[in-house]
Amino acid sequence: MHKYKLISKTGEGTFAEVLKAVAIKNGEYYAGRRMKNDLESVEEVNNLREIQALRRLSPHSNIINLQEVIYDRTTGKLALVFELMDMNVYELMSRKANVVGRREGETLHVSTVEIT
């Protein structure tokens, strides 16, 4: 991520870690999702369902914008660059659930859809 200066680590999951970064060129802040698994080729990167879905669905007001895909062929490392949001989806849903009167201790159930 030579176009960006890494500021801090904001989160980590099973498959990736999320880093706050600033673009060297314009000073704007972005979120970089650095994948933990190494990839073998550009074709493997382009075949990732997440990347295919984000490219097909963009632009959409309810879907985060994928700004750039950075793949280092020598190391196999992949990073996805997104617009920087104030919070993650879990935090947003927790706040919204509390606003609409969810009782303390009540479980919030979330459904996801796989796009193929």
Side-chain angles (χ1 to χ4, degrees):
M1 293 184 20
H2 298 292
K3 296 179 184 180
Y4 305 91
K5 179 182 177 188
L6 300 178
I7 305 297
S8 62
K9 182 175 175 179
T10 60
E12 185 167 356
T14 304
F15 301 105
E17 60 182 349
V18 179
L19 308 165
K20 182 177 181 181
V22 62
I24 294 169
K25 185 176 182 178
N26 61 15
E28 291 185 30
Y29 289 94
Y30 293 93
R33 186 165 179 241
R34 186 166 48 192
M35 308 304 276
K36 291 181 179 179
N37 293 337
D38 296 343
L39 300 170
E40 299 292 325
S41 66
V42 173
E43 292 78 26
E44 190 176 354
V45 171
N46 288 326
N47 287 331
L48 289 174
R49 287 185 178 175
E50 179 178 3
I51 292 175
Q52 290 177 354
L54 286 166
R55 285 181 174 161
R56 276 191 215 134
L57 297 172
S58 183
H60 189 283
S61 61
N62 294 328
I63 298 176
I64 192 165
N65 290 326
L66 175 63
Q67 302 291 323
E68 187 173 9
V69 176
I70 301 172
Y71 175 64
D72 185 339
R73 292 175 194 222
T74 58
T75 64
K77 296 293 182 188
L78 173 66
L80 307 179
V81 180
F82 297 93
E83 60 186 307
L84 183 65
M85 304 302 290
D86 295 333
M87 64 189 83
N88 64 36
V89 174
Y90 177 78
E91 292 167 341
L92 176 66
M93 292 174 61
S94 295
R95 287 184 185 181
K96 293 241 184 227
N98 288 331
V99 169
V100 295
R102 185 170 64 103
R103 290 181 294 243
E104 190 173 328
E106 188 176 23
T107 304
L108 177 66
H109 297 280
V110 179
S111 297
T112 58
V113 177
E114 183 177 331
I115 300 170
T116 57

